[in-house]
Amino acid sequence: MIQPGFTGGTLDRADHLRQDPEAVARAIGDLRARLLVLNGAEPEVDAAGMLGWTSLADAPAAAELILLGLDDGRPRFAAHVPGTRVSAQRSPALFHALDQMRPGEAATYAAARSLIDWHARHGFCPNCGGATTPFKAGWARSCVACGAEHFPRVDPVVIMIAEHEGRALLGRAAACPSGVTRRLRVFSNPANRSRKRSPARSPRKRACASPMCATWRASPGRSPRR
């Protein structure tokens, strides 16, 4: 069976660490921490199909570090340099590198590139125009003027229908007009829940329903950027 592209990532995204500045500081100071090697925004891939990693000491002085996750407890980072942009063009060298990557490596690279691109385009607040600074280990930005928080859309979104004996479970937010219902939706963080667990988790979280089992069918789609 051919594995779909950009799947099978092996990093623990360590969401539980991102809200803890002391834990993030310890990860940065960990001698085992490594920085993803990028040529601009393109990856370095060795003969074995593995991404290149280097010491955090090689990060540019002005770089903002992004905690990609943990590899068997070892911190893995990417670096965004304020003022730089990621080209929208995809070079032949990039396609060649993606073709050479071992399963799971492309998922790590895609997360890093997506986050770096998002930071490059969100240096200023869309709410008031003030400057933004990163927090949550590089997985969010906060406006220094109005305090608005902004988050990237880099995790897959799971939208499901919970069905039982021919009846579907729908939801309605308190702000929705009467009679307006919608399917349940949840962001699926690969670090702590699989695509099979998400359909079972969302009804439990959103509607206090506990399905006995869940099946899934994948369909392509994109979530809106914020």
Side-chain angles (χ1 to χ4, degrees), residues 157-162 168-173 176 180-186 202-203 206-207 217 219:
V157 176
V158 176
I159 301 177
M160 73 290 296
I161 286 288
L169 174 65
L170 302 176
R172 183 178 74 86
C176 290
V180 175
T181 59
R182 61 186 61 182
R183 291 174 294 177
L184 306 178
R185 180 180 66 180
V186 64
S202 188
R206 307 291 185 185
R217 293 183 180 179
S219 61

Side-chain angles (χ1 to χ4, degrees), residues 7 32 123 145 158 173 202 225:
T7 63
R32 303 172 300 165
V158 176
S202 188
R225 290 178 175 176

